[in-house]
Structures are given as structure tokens and as C-alpha cells.
Amino acid sequence: MKKLNITITLEMSVPEDWELVKTSEGGQVLKLPNQQFLDLAIEPLFATDPEETWSSTEDDDALNDILDMVESEVVTYEFVTH
């Protein structure tokens, strides 16, 4: 078995009222104005509380709105050998 590191870098234009907030584990998520939080991973994940369960959206329009904000994307794959 080999280890695979994946780095995804996105540059986005987002509304001015979005904020970065830290979770209790020290990570960062985006706070949206509609009482939701956004974590971008392999797919956008949403929650009403950053400490609770994150889930994808069934709303294609919401998903497309987020994906339309992506101006560029860089994905780097690196196999780590020991």
C-alpha cells in the first residue's frame, strides 16, 4: 500500500458577507449569511452548526452556485514513499 497526498487549491470570488471561522479542532470553515457553514472538500459540504454532521446538498442550484464561483483550480497529487 502506498500513501497518496492530494492538494486542491481553489481561487474563488465570494460575497463580501462570507467569513472564515475556526472549528474547535482548529480547522477553518466559511460562515455564510443564511446561518449555514460551508466546508469545501471533494464536494461542497453544508451544516447548520460547524460541530455537527456535514452533508452535501440535494439542491442542484445551490451546488451550481458554489461551483460557479470557482475561477481556477489546481490539483496536485503526490505519492509519499518511505
Side-chain angles (χ1 to χ4, degrees):
M1 194 69 93
K2 50 188 167 182
K3 186 174 185 176
L4 173 64
N5 289 342
I6 301 171
T7 303
I8 299 172
T9 304
L10 300 175
E11 182 176 317
M12 300 174 66
S13 293
V14 300
E16 291 292 328
D17 54 358
W18 285 23
E19 301 174 39
L20 285 174
V21 296
K22 285 194 176 189
T23 66
S24 62
E25 296 177 355
Q28 288 185 315
V29 295
L30 290 161
K31 182 179 180 185
L32 309 182
N34 58 356
Q35 299 305 313
Q36 284 191 317
F37 295 85
L38 171 63
D39 183 18
L40 290 171
I42 293 174
E43 67 177 281
L45 301 175
F46 297 88
T48 55
D49 182 326
E51 304 303 329
E52 297 296 332
T53 303
W54 291 83
S55 63
S56 60
T57 181
E58 303 255 343
D59 182 349
D60 286 341
D61 289 334
L63 178 59
N64 287 332
D65 286 346
I66 297 296
L67 295 176
D68 285 344
M69 294 178 199
V70 177
E71 294 179 356
S72 67
E73 178 179 343
V74 176
V75 180
T76 304
Y77 296 89
E78 177 186 2
F79 285 108
V80 179
T81 57
H82 297 273

